[in-house]
Amino acid sequence: MTPAATNGALVDWHSAEMKARRKARYAADRRLQIYGMVAITFALGFLAVLLGTLTFTGYKAFTQTVATVEIDLSSQDIDRAELMEANWRNIVKDALLTTAPGELSRSDERAYMSLFTSSAPYLIREAVLKDRSLLDRSSAYRIPLSDPLDQLAKGEVDRATPENQRRVSDQQIAWYDSLVEQGVISQPFNWALFFNADSRFPELAGLAGAISGSFWALLVCFLISFPVGIAAAIYLEEFAPKNRFTDLIEININNLAAVPSVVFGLLGLAVFLGWFGLPRSVPLVGGLVLSLMTLPTLIIVTRASLKSVPSSIREAALGVGASKHEAIFHHILPLAMPTIMTGTIIGLAQALGETAPLLLIGMNAFITSPPGGVMEASTALPTQIFIWADSPERGFVARTSAAILVLIGFLILMNAIAIFLRQRFERRW
Amino acid sequence: RDQIMVVGSSTVFPYSQAVAEEFANKTGNQAPVVESVGTGGGFKAFCGGIGEATADITGASRAIKESELKLCADNGVTDITEAMIGYDGLSIAHARSAPEMNLTEEQVFLALAAELPDGKGGFIANPNKKWSDIDASLPDFDIIAFGPPPTSGTRDAFVELVMHDGCSELEGMADLKKSDADKWNEVCSRMRQDGPFVEAGENDNLIVQRLESDPNAVGIFGYSFLYENNDKLKAVKINDIEPTFDTIADGSYPVARPLFFYVKNQHRDVIPGMKEFLAEYVSEEALGPDGYLAERGLTPLSDELRAELQTNVLEGKKLGM
Amino acid sequence: MMTGYLLLFLLLAASAASIIGSRRAVAQRAAMGRAHSRPIYHGLNVAIWTGVPALVFLLLWLAGQNTVLDQLVIASYPGAESLDPAARSLLLSEIRQVASGSIFREPTPEVRAAVEHLKSLQSLAQWAMVVLVAAVAIVGATLGFRVIGQRYRARHSVERSITLFMMFSSLVAIFTTLGIVASLVFEAARFFSMVPITEFLFGLRWEPQIAMRADQVAGQGAFGVVPVLFGTFVISALAMLVAVPVGILSAIYLTEYAGPKFRAVVKPALEILAGIPTVVYGFFAVLTVAPAIRTLGLSLGIPSAPNSALAAGGVMGVMIIPFISSLSDDAFAAVPRAMREGSYALGATKGETIRKVLLPAALPGIVGGVLLGFSRAVGETMIVVMAAGLIAQMTLNPFEAVTTVTVQIVTLLIGDSEFDNPKTLAAFALGLVLFVITLGLNLIALHTVRKYREKY
Amino acid sequence: MSEAIVEKTLEKKMNDLSYKMIGQDVSVYYGEKRALFDVNLKVRKNTVTALIGPSGCGKSTFLRCLNRMNDTIDIARVTGTITLDGADIYDPDIDVVELRARVGMVFQKPNPFPKSIFENVAYGPRIHGLARSKADLDQIVESSLQKAGLWNEVKDRLHEAGTGLSGGQQQRLCIARAVAVSPEVILMDEPCSALDPIATARVEELIHELRANYSIVIVTHSMQQAARVSQRTAMFHLGHLVEEDDTDKMFTNPNDQRTQDYIMGRFG
Amino acid sequence: MSEAIVEKTLEKKMNDLSYKMIGQDVSVYYGEKRALFDVNLKVRKNTVTALIGPSGCGKSTFLRCLNRMNDTIDIARVTGTITLDGADIYDPDIDVVELRARVGMVFQKPNPFPKSIFENVAYGPRIHGLARSKADLDQIVESSLQKAGLWNEVKDRLHEAGTGLSGGQQQRLCIARAVAVSPEVILMDEPCSALDPIATARVEELIHELRANYSIVIVTHSMQQAARVSQRTAMFHLGHLVEEDDTDKMFTNPNDQRTQDYIMGRFG
Ligand SMILES: Nc1ncnc2c1ncn2[C@@H]1O[C@H](COP(=O)(O)OP(=O)(O)OP(=O)(O)O)[C@@H](O)[C@H]1O
Ligand SMILES: Nc1ncnc2c1ncn2[C@@H]1O[C@H](COP(=O)(O)OP(=O)(O)OP(=O)(O)O)[C@@H](O)[C@H]1O
Ligand SMILES: [Mg+2]
Ligand SMILES: [Mg+2]
Ligand SMILES: O=P([O-])([O-])[O-]
């Protein structure tokens, strides 16, 4: 029998056996700690690898190879009343050919022109439409190189591969090298990635359409889910009687928070497009679907934050004769607001990254102009990623990763705001 | 609505995209909304009726079916123009670093079919694991083929153009077709499900990227992807023929199919810019041998066919019912 | 356009009414002393009376207008009675198209007459709407103004309106669920009329490829959902295998061992994992993880598919880590401090306290969290769409490819089959199955979590 | 008029004159559980009534019946009648908001709103529309703070947060807040139990002063406090009102053995 | 040997003999805030020492120093020395796990683990490896429950949940749990404040019995309880130890005015 079992006698805490035992216990403690550390390292390591891979494939899309060419529009014969109709193609062609080494045959001319984006004439036209004074002078224009040449400039094309295995011919490489020698080529930051809408040409494709599509959809999502979510949460938390029906509502809300997003897509497809006859691909429908998805989360967060306001505040208000509504709207809701805002931002961030439901309601279309409102067809960031990922042109590989980085950037920004709010306004009661 | 709405096949999608952008640039009109919903989905949207909410044009990687025509008619879409715009080669390709391969359609069938005739009138599950199991001259590594899912038109075409042909070349299959067409159809259409054939989803780019990392694998996808990724991939020859624009256009490369778009003529006068868009689509600049669609991998039509197409589309020739 | 102006008008009218109403209440109070409700409530009450009935009226009008107009137009169309409903609706749509200026073909004189009729009716309706809405607003405002008085309990009435709105909002969740069920059930029913439900539920083969051709009999036994479900569970189980230990261990480390600074940095970093769009995980899984796993499998001599369940499941597991860890975090936090102190006071080390007291005490909460995580894994779409295969096979080998319900839904729907093909409709049946499964899982999980919450 | 009626009317008159609130057969149920058993208790005008008794005996419960604070607990159910100046406060026609304005409450833990000191006091007058003008409001705030003995300490920082005050100051702020809506009765639930001795003394002093204008009911767990501040004491035990009497009498010569035991510290 | 040294050794000897724990100049800081000021207090063997004082005066804080429970609060910092049988318990070499086994603790609110009654009691012996065999463990559990006066009530349901017991039983279970690791000192922080009078009486009785084998330190807010159960009483006020003396003396004739006032209920 051990000492402990004998009544009243003391345990010898300093016996070798006890010491060894304690050592083993501390070791076990440390082991658990190490497992925890390993788990965290695993998760964060994965995150690092993920972001690292994306950055590695995507960073090149943040620059774009351009040729800077001087064009004198004043010497051209352009009808100012019919700017759209002017022969921009020839104007640009003439200007670009001046950079070519010597005279080119007609077929070489074509090949030479393919160094530059085929939309170059439209770019010049746009510039002129924006600033008519360009017509009166000679100025330098930045013309993006076409995607294969952009790839070449970024070192993605191996010059050693046989000519028939590359998208750029030896001749084009030679021309490119001569352009480099002339100092015409540069690689500025690719603002087009943010300010252009989608295009079939990687060198022109940008995220403006997707970003504004996401913006409109999120706006709709916010305008609906925020008031409705708060109203529902207040009702359920403060007013609803506890009965079967409110129980049902509550279970329902919790369940909806975990319903797969693709099911919401099916819902949007059938209800908003099918029954209500709303148009496809528009941010309004995207926003509606997203708001239905965000709503449960928002209600849950709001209820939790209402609950976390100590009842002493409520009692204080009621105690001086405030009605229940007044107590809630004057005191409890304002106090819960920071948490609600945090929850809302996180909910919206989730909505921003949602893909599957948008695929089903057609927000994965090809649209070359940013939407001007909620009823104009558009894409959203995640669906744009989906589209680019499936485009054959090489330039889209890096652009897909870049778009993902942009999306993650937005998400991190939103989360950072949420964390900031949380830390700034966190109350300990 | 002031935009044109184009839906339909994912294969035709990039071409419609290109035309849409060019059209917008040229005319300064709102760019059409182009959505890739698959051929069937396209017809569903297209045949949904007339009016603002429905599509004006749908792309298709096969001709419209009877049932779809009927749906259209039921919904009042009675005036349709069919436009065959060119061919799409289906390439079988693998990494540059892989050894050269040259397959017959029969070999492809033997590699990818679910069941093979056992020579005694019955059928057995496909036993071939390596290419060399089929023919000793083929390389000695595992059969891995990434291909389109059963829901895609590309898969449809592949089955019809390669598997059925390869199947028919096997002994006894021709007879079976006569005696039991259903059985023949089942045997010749089913792709194996035990691993070597990997249904890789609709995303062809993913297949391309995976081929790079796995030189033993082959992938089945549209020719345009091979064309873009020439430096990383090379084609597997089918019946000794390599896919090129020329071999696809003259029909010598066996795995090519026509691509279409369908126009809802009832919308022609109401949707702004629709006529101009159609004109752009069938213009020489787009569809011609040097056109920008060819640049994207579309195999152009012969000159006569193209001329006929242009008149048909511009005049709105009604599809016979 | 008109509607927009009307809405603006209502907004302005309501604001004006509210200001005037509260002024009037102030004046009355000055004259007669203490009132039941403060002036602001009288103002709000008038605003509600002015705006809300008119708004509801406007919405009802807009909803009903077209039907009524159609009826009127059709009634005056010669020979309309003899038309069958389909032709009637065609005719109507033609009339409407023509009226809106889109002429598809030269209209007949009857149609033209009808169009004229419709147009006149439309402009009449438009003006009627404006007048009536304004009238409703004015009547409402008058009624609202009438009741301003010392005794009138304006606050009660305003609060009742607000409560009504809140009640309605809380019903949105119910409507959503009904919407989901309705949108799935109809199409699923069509599917089950082509493929027997027993075959769908118990069939062991899922091969939508056979039944796709028009010249084949639909169905043919290739719509057995069992292997698809099996694959779903295999992938979800793999995901949980990654997420559960990592999630719980990191929660333990973060709540019990880590200092506040470490926690403040690492916790948000972990949450980023949950914020990354799943489409991104999908890319990562298919391009980076899957080849690595295949290489690993082959080097171990295990036959490995390029689309291994392990790649999809593993990456999905990483996505779920923060979910599990934050729910476990909550569960640990919910264990009262007294439990911890009780254990420490007996001379337990931290590790012992965690393993023997906290874990068992938090277990129900953690189990609930794991179940919720599992249901999330079952419903996760984009990762598997990109990284899991499409082959429905029943294998437990994680290096083999399997398919999941969500993959099939997306593939079937954005695929290429005809609209009324069982292949497309199957997506809705699958959606229904998915909804039922996640519903079940969620209910169990919520029940566990809730019961557990009640304990403390 | 029969004599009985005369007597009754007279009694009512008497009640009206000297009793502010009268609870008759008040029982409270929390769900299934009964927390109060037929309590009959009268609250006198300009008197401090102390409720004492061991933990969980129902003191707070009874107190919260007096301004219908129990309405806010879903499962709570009150039976019996309670009148304020003769009017049944559980009458459906009674506006509970007005009732609570007339019967103010101060809680165990000081619970100022997380707003400025001024806003804390001004809130009640604002929602009840007691001030016609800004000057009016300033005036109410100042006089309330003065009544709560806090004015001198805070007059220079009226716009600082009320939560920044010390515990004792916070409790006086809460009293000022209650006083600001001109209540007739003030209920206090262990108002000093979270305060230090000095703050306690200040609050007790204040209670003493307030008595001149208000009827006060105070729950306390300290018999000594009850003895110091109250004129009447009611002893609760297990949900029953054991006895109620003049404070002096209760602490020197209680009728009930339980009271005796409790005062002697034999339980609780 | 110098005389001073002799005296010191002698004193130490004395201390060792009659004092179990000695706190010297114990101060505690919670972050910036100082909660205890240089407290000197000796805990005698086989004696019940009661700590009394108004709320927040530092009773619990001091108690928690005695088994280093304050270590679990991040911001808490302890200065001064505390010895157990002459060994400094804040010595870095001291094993806190051992210390806490030797100085057991019972909390204000009963906090049984959500496990069976048996597991609750067996937990301590198990982690410390006090039992060689299953029979051993059974024996420890039984004797501990017996010491806590709970055995007869629970012997037939040892494997039911400990949380299913009544409050008083739970508190005795917690005492049994503490006793099971054979502590030398038992600390109790208001062990009866959540209990009803009957349960309180049982626990007080128990404390009385345990005194034979253990040194006991008990915090209580009830002077009556302190008077009933303790032999020594220490009075705290605002973080200071006001005085410490025999309980009888304290309650009849305290040295300090504050003690007098507190006992008389003038504050707290
Ligand atoms: N919200 C509630 N729900 C259920 N039971 C309650 C509630 N509030 C109080 N009770 C119960 O009613 C009884 C009386 O509680 P009450 O708070 O009135 O006691 P008390 O005398 O104020 O005690 P204390 O001195 O601890 O404040 C107690 O048994 C308590 O458990
Ligand atoms: N964890 C903590 N963090 C910060 N301050 C604390 C903490 N615990 C106690 N304090 C402060 O230390 C002081 C002493 O607290 P302690 O709990 O020791 O008082 P007590 O005498 O036990 O009071 P009570 O009778 O209310 O239990 C108090 O002012 C308290 O606010
Ligand atoms: Mg109380
Ligand atoms: Mg304490
Ligand atoms: O979308 P597809 O019809 O070309 O597969």
Side-chain angles (χ1 to χ4, degrees), chain A residues 172-407:
Chain A
Q172 285 176 314
I173 293 182
W175 282 330
Y176 170 76
D177 290 341
S178 100
L179 281 176
V180 172
E181 255 163 51
Q182 293 174 46
V184 174
I185 300 293
S186 59
Q187 263 190 20
F189 186 78
N190 186 8
W191 288 109
L193 187 62
F194 296 95
F195 295 118
N196 281 9
D198 197 10
S199 164
R200 78 182 161 110
F201 304 105
E203 66 269 21
L204 297 178
L207 292 169
I211 290 174
S212 52
S214 276
F215 168 80
W216 288 115
L218 284 192
L219 185 70
V220 171
C221 173
F222 174 77
L223 288 180
I224 292 175
S225 56
F226 191 69
V228 173
I230 289 181
I234 293 179
Y235 180 74
L236 292 174
E237 191 58 40
E238 310 278 347
F239 290 96
K242 294 275 162 286
N243 57 28
R244 284 260 171 96
F245 187 64
T246 47
D247 250 19
L248 180 74
I249 295 183
E250 186 169 348
I251 289 176
N252 219 311
I253 288 171
N254 284 314
N255 178 51
L256 278 184
V259 164
S261 57
V262 64
V263 172
F264 279 97
L266 293 175
L267 168 79
L269 185 65
V271 173
F272 297 124
L273 300 187
W275 299 349
F276 293 173
L278 291 171
R280 278 182 80 84
S281 311
V282 297
L284 176 67
V285 177
L288 283 169
V289 171
L290 293 179
S291 70
L292 291 186
M293 294 185 58
T294 320
L295 204 53
T297 326
L298 200 58
I299 295 178
I300 293 170
V301 171
T302 307
R303 288 189 66 174
S305 60
L306 290 176
K307 214 179 275 175
S308 75
V309 176
S311 60
S312 67
I313 299 287
R314 185 188 329 259
E315 298 202 319
L318 295 177
V320 291
S323 71
K324 203 161 168 184
H325 283 78
E326 286 170 334
I328 292 165
F329 287 102
H330 294 170
H331 296 286
I332 297 170
L333 194 55
L335 289 174
M337 221 16 136
T339 329
I340 298 177
M341 289 307 298
T342 312
T344 309
I345 294 173
I346 288 175
L348 287 180
Q350 262 167 22
L352 175 62
E354 206 56 68
T355 320
L358 301 186
L359 289 185
L360 297 189
I361 57 155
M363 282 192 78
N364 55 340
F366 171 74
I367 295 147
T368 56
S369 53
V374 293
M375 287 300 274
E376 282 178 31
S378 81
T379 53
L381 272 170
T383 47
Q384 187 71 63
I385 291 168
F386 200 70
I387 299 173
W388 280 3
D390 200 22
S391 301
E393 286 84 359
R394 268 308 178 63
F396 281 119
V397 176
R399 254 161 243 270
T400 306
S401 295
I404 291 175
L405 286 176
V406 170
L407 176 54

Side-chain angles (χ1 to χ4, degrees), chain B residues 43 46-47 58 60 62-70 72-73 77-84 260-266 268 312-313 315-321:
Chain B
F43 280 124
F46 181 79
C47 295
T58 183
R62 56 168 167 78
I64 190 167
K65 290 182 185 171
E66 270 310 308
S67 57
E68 288 158 344
L69 266 180
K70 183 165 173 308
C72 270
V77 183
T78 46
D79 188 359
I80 304 171
T81 297
E82 179 181 74
M84 203 247 272
F260 303 85
F261 67 79
Y262 291 83
V263 185
K264 197 182 283 176
N265 288 328
Q266 288 146 308
R268 232 176 236 256
N312 282 353
V313 169
E315 285 166 14
K317 177 165 180 267
K318 191 166 163 183
L319 186 64
M321 304 228 123

Side-chain angles (χ1 to χ4, degrees), chain C residues 6 44 74 91 113-114 142 157 165 167 221 307 309 320 330 362 372 432 441 452:
Chain C
L6 260 181
L44 283 177
I74 273 290
L91 176 65
T142 322
S157 119
F165 170 69
M167 233 154 135
N307 278 325
I320 297 175
D330 291 349
L372 280 178
L432 200 58
L441 281 171
Y452 159 73

Side-chain angles (χ1 to χ4, degrees), chain B residues 140-193:
Chain B
D140 175 32
F141 48 64
D142 286 343
I143 302 171
I144 295 272
F146 295 100
T151 47
S152 90
T154 314
R155 164 76 162 268
D156 233 359
F158 181 77
V159 167
E160 199 162 315
L161 295 172
V162 181
M163 300 294 281
H164 285 185
D165 284 5
C167 181
S168 302
E169 281 162 31
L170 292 177
E171 217 177 308
M173 292 309 287
D175 299 336
L176 180 68
K177 188 171 188 179
K178 283 178 207 126
S179 57
D180 185 353
D182 271 353
K183 182 68 190 168
W184 180 87
N185 200 350
E186 186 187 333
V187 172
C188 294
S189 303
R190 279 185 65 203
M191 308 284 288
R192 63 196 301 180
Q193 299 255 302

Side-chain angles (χ1 to χ4, degrees), chain D residues 118-131:
Chain D
F118 183 90
E119 287 301 323
N120 261 287
V121 183
Y123 180 70
R126 265 215 194 110
I127 57 171
H128 293 292
L130 300 186

Side-chain angles (χ1 to χ4, degrees), chain C residues 372-455:
Chain C
L372 280 178
F374 190 76
S375 91
R376 186 153 288 212
V378 168
E380 170 46 43
T381 311
M382 292 319 287
I383 295 181
V384 281
V385 162
M386 307 185 82
L390 284 159
I391 296 178
Q393 52 179 340
M394 299 218 241
T395 170
L396 281 173
N397 179 356
F399 290 94
E400 291 280 345
V402 293
T403 191
T404 75
V405 178
T406 48
V407 175
Q408 292 298 328
I409 292 179
V410 171
T411 321
L412 295 175
L413 271 186
I414 62 180
D416 193 36
S417 42
E418 292 152 79
F419 49 92
D420 55 357
N421 192 303
K423 226 163 55 177
T424 315
L425 295 176
F428 292 91
L430 286 175
L432 200 58
V433 167
L434 185 61
F435 183 73
V436 169
I437 291 176
T438 49
L439 178 71
L441 281 171
N442 294 338
L443 287 186
I444 299 173
L446 293 173
H447 185 72
T448 334
V449 172
R450 218 196 223 194
K451 219 168 122 183
Y452 159 73
R453 290 236 173 89
E454 278 162 9
K455 232 170 68 187

